DNA sequence: CCAACACTTAGCCCTTGCGCTAAGTGTTGG
DNA sequence: CCAACACTTAGCGCAAGGGCTAAGTGTTGG
């Protein structure tokens, strides 16, 4: 078990904080500077920057600095990992349902 | 911002740990006892029980004790929250793409 | 040129998370 | 009845997370 999926760990961890999800949502509407994003968060800039770094280091956003402004944008691809994990999970459930149906069907046939 | 979505916090936090995701995957194939689940995890039983409690308190699994055995099963509904959040996120991206397309179209018309 | 701006770094504090051991509770098979 | 079983509780240790202040760096508008 355990599967060493360090990357999924990071993605879920990054999304587990409301400040960070708010950033993701905001960036869904288009790129923004750190300053713009921070203005909507109830904390100091250094604290907020940590969240930005968490999002970036886990690949959910990309950032680039031009002059003295750092601009952030969403890395949409990363979210596919979550979709994939959910899809795999659902396929497990579906497989189990199928086996249950076969069992029920066989039971009826054997009556 | 921040939106106080304590429940999503919990769901993402619960899924951020590989031991817990392994339990979820395992339960995708059907219910199991705590003992069965713990046997596949590289830690002591009390440590493992904490993970079970995290999963349960965040609604990802349900558990019930009969005699001395506690049986766990997946609460599939909870995963819809993640799907919904992802869907909303994607709709934001889509909305933005639409606006960009309109902009490009208008730009061409104004040439 | 230089003050204002937009971060950035460093470091502290406190809480939470995740592992452990040791000991306790309630069930059950023989 | 009682030993084995399947958790469960209590409490400890350490690392990481998330907030803060204070001070530093590099850009830029006037």
């Amino acid at each position: 078990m355990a599967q060493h999926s360090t990357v999924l760990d990071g993605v879920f961890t990054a999304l587990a904080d409301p400040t960070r999800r708010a950033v993701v949502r905001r960036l869904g509407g288009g790129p923004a500077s750190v300053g713009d994003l921070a203005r909507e968060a109830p904390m100091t800039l250094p604290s907020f920057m940590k969240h930005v770094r968490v999002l970036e280091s886990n690949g959910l956003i990309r950032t680039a600095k031009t002059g003295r402004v750092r601009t952030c944008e969403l890395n949409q691809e990363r979210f596919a990992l979550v979709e994939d994990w959910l899809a795999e999970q659902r396929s497990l459930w579906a497989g189990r349902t199928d086996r249950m149906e076969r069992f029920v069907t066989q039971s009826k046939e054997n009556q």
Side-chain angles (χ1 to χ4, degrees), chain A residues 98-111:
Chain A
D98 289 352
R99 283 193 298 282
M100 276 180 61
E101 275 170 7
R102 266 202 303 282
F103 173 75
V104 171
T105 307
Q106 285 178 5
S107 298
K108 280 183 179 171
E109 284 170 351
N110 293 341
Q111 272 177 359

Side-chain angles (χ1 to χ4, degrees), chain A residues 7-72:
Chain A
V7 50
L8 258 189
D9 285 18
V11 171
F12 278 123
T13 301
L15 295 177
D17 183 278
T19 298
R20 292 195 288 262
R21 281 200 309 280
V23 169
V24 166
R25 170 185 290 243
R26 170 72 171 75
L27 292 180
S33 72
V34 168
D36 286 344
L37 296 169
R39 208 159 296 125
E40 307 182 44
M43 64 186 66
T44 61
L45 189 59
S47 300
F48 181 76
M49 276 299 297
K50 287 193 186 176
H51 290 295
V52 172
R53 250 174 265 127
V54 170
L55 286 169
E56 184 172 25
S57 69
N58 288 298
L60 292 166
I61 68 173
R62 283 182 302 258
T63 80
K65 198 163 184 177
T66 59
R68 62 189 175 186
V69 176
R70 180 172 295 278
T71 303
C72 310

